[in-house]
Amino acid sequence: MHRYVRLMSVGEFERGILYLGNFSLRQQPQTVDQSQIGHVLHLICIAGQPKDAVGYNQQVRRKQQGKRMEEIRDTVILGSGCAGLTAAIYSARANLKPLVLEGHEPGGQLSITTMVENFPGWPDGIQGPELIENMKKQAARFGAEFKMSHLVSVDLATHPFQLKTSHGEIRTRTLIIASGASARWLGLPSEQALIGHGVSSCATCDGFFFNGHDIAVVGGGDTAMEESLFLTRFATKVYLLHRRESFRASKVMLERVIAHPKIEILTNTVVDEVLGVEEKSVSGLHVRNVKTQEKSVLPVTGFFLGIGHEPNAKMFNGQLDLDPEGYIITKDNVHTRVPGVFACGDVQDRRYRQAVTAAGTGCMAALEAEKYLEEHGR
């Protein structure tokens, strides 16, 4: 007697393609379209002779991987700071199922900020990392997907846009660039160890915490001038340190600094070390005159970097319009020259660079991406 044994896949039961004839003895099974088989562990035995299940499963897996590679996202967001996470919240609530690539600095500059007291809704302030984590949870709640990956290259000349990341290739109908701008640091180990503990790159963010203190600012451009003038609202004294005798700052800004009674300018001066690492609080600076090589200790409790920011937009050079300092040029708030590509936050904002303004432009970018998709038949 010939026996026929057939193990059915879950997919066959679900699709209603189970035939009673398949269980009868001496009867050949009816052919089933393999495209209807959904279970990767499906196994067929005919007259006791199994097909190559391993080879078949590999074929199914290849097809499924191919489908995943062909998946086209509605929107991909580059960056996970305030701008990127706000864009993620809005686009996720619009059912765009955004993919957020967290980048090489997850959380952006707020992730290295301690107390944030100027973000609306937190009367007692909130720690920067906690604010970022709350926003991330909020976006995930509505369906945003996060991936620890960074952009390697991008092709904006084709549509859908093609992104090559550190974890593979992605295609997307819209792209929201929220990759931010990284503060320029001196690169001293002691400086890095005290970021958020007396060392800061944002006077507007952290100046309030130094009320009644002596503080120092390093830099020679308009950024350093603006930081120094702003900090005079709180500090007892502000030392402006610059490694050269001449300044890159505009004449009007330099004149304001020179005329201010609270500011003392130290030229030809560099910082060799920030003191207070063991105490986790800035207690002074080891400074050196580059002409005389004379060394001394500057007794300050706050140290601000005013040497500018580096927008994280180099990968878009030649594909988007960038200004001389590398910031993405936008029109109508968040639109770039490429339809379907939007930029928000510090990567396009060289003026304000605040968490709340970044969040605002992140909202704009998400709304514009949603509108773009609607207009193009999503």
Side-chain angles (χ1 to χ4, degrees), residues 6-19 23 32-44 56-57 60 64:
R6 190 173 190 275
L7 301 182
M8 307 302 297
S9 74
V10 175
E12 288 181 332
F13 282 101
E14 291 177 345
R15 294 175 177 83
I17 58 174
L18 177 61
Y19 302 99
F23 289 97
V32 178
D33 184 357
Q34 287 187 356
S35 67
Q36 300 182 51
I37 300 173
H39 199 291
V40 296
L41 298 179
H42 184 84
L43 176 64
I44 300 177
Y56 177 73
N57 291 339
V60 171
Q64 291 179 340

Side-chain angles (χ1 to χ4, degrees), residues 109-117 119 122 124-135 196-197 209:
Q109 293 189 57
L110 275 185
S111 63
I112 58 171
T113 302
T114 50
M115 184 61 69
V116 178
E117 293 191 323
F119 199 89
W122 302 94
D124 298 321
I126 183 173
Q127 293 289 318
E130 184 182 359
L131 176 59
I132 287 295
E133 185 61 25
N134 287 346
M135 295 178 73
H197 299 279
F209 300 109

Side-chain angles (χ1 to χ4, degrees), residues 15-236:
R15 294 175 177 83
I17 58 174
L18 177 61
Y19 302 99
L20 292 177
N22 291 345
F23 289 97
S24 63
L25 299 179
R26 301 177 182 272
Q27 186 171 350
Q28 293 298 319
Q30 296 186 22
T31 301
V32 178
D33 184 357
Q34 287 187 356
S35 67
Q36 300 182 51
I37 300 173
H39 199 291
V40 296
L41 298 179
H42 184 84
L43 176 64
I44 300 177
C45 296
I46 299 178
Q49 300 297 322
K51 287 189 175 181
D52 182 1
V54 174
Y56 177 73
N57 291 339
Q58 289 176 344
Q59 181 181 1
V60 171
R61 289 191 183 98
R62 282 196 295 269
K63 288 182 178 179
Q64 291 179 340
Q65 289 172 355
K67 288 181 180 179
R68 284 195 292 269
M69 287 296 292
E70 293 171 2
E71 180 185 8
I72 300 175
R73 292 274 182 171
D74 278 331
T75 190
V76 169
I77 300 169
L78 304 178
S80 53
C82 264
L85 293 178
T86 304
I89 293 168
Y90 272 79
S91 55
R93 291 187 76 249
N95 201 31
L96 301 185
K97 298 179 176 59
L99 171 64
V100 181
L101 303 182
E102 298 201 50
H104 66 281
E105 292 182 354
Q109 293 189 57
L110 275 185
S111 63
I112 58 171
T113 302
T114 50
M115 184 61 69
V116 178
E117 293 191 323
N118 55 6
F119 199 89
W122 302 94
D124 298 321
I126 183 173
Q127 293 289 318
E130 184 182 359
L131 176 59
I132 287 295
E133 185 61 25
N134 287 346
M135 295 178 73
K136 187 175 179 180
K137 288 178 180 177
Q138 188 175 359
R141 173 192 166 199
F142 295 114
E145 180 184 345
F146 292 85
K147 183 176 289 187
M148 288 292 294
S149 182
H150 64 269
L151 186 65
V152 176
S153 64
V154 59
D155 184 358
L156 302 181
T158 60
H159 200 275
F161 307 119
Q162 295 182 1
L163 313 178
K164 183 178 289 186
T165 76
S166 54
H167 289 83
E169 295 186 3
I170 301 170
R171 300 171 71 198
T172 181
R173 296 180 179 89
T174 62
L175 178 65
I176 296 176
I177 305 170
S179 47
S182 301
R184 294 191 181 102
W185 304 95
L186 297 179
L188 302 172
S190 54
E191 166 204 58
Q192 297 297 302
L194 288 168
I195 293 175
H197 299 279
V199 174
S200 172
S201 63
C202 180
T204 309
C205 307
D206 301 324
F208 176 80
F209 300 109
F210 296 89
N211 194 36
H213 291 245
D214 289 352
I215 57 182
V217 177
V218 63
D222 278 350
T223 298
M225 305 299 131
E226 291 171 0
E227 300 275 274
S228 299
L229 290 167
F230 179 83
L231 289 169
T232 58
R233 304 179 187 182
F234 312 103
T236 304

Side-chain angles (χ1 to χ4, degrees), residues 333-344:
N333 297 310
V334 294
H335 290 262
T336 70
R337 77 175 187 186
V338 177
V341 178
F342 310 94
C344 56

Side-chain angles (χ1 to χ4, degrees), residues 301-323:
T301 53
F303 180 44
F304 286 79
L305 283 296
I307 52 179
H309 291 73
E310 188 76 27
N312 301 314
K314 289 181 179 178
M315 68 286 290
F316 300 105
N317 190 24
Q319 301 192 69
L320 298 177
D321 293 329
L322 307 181
D323 73 9

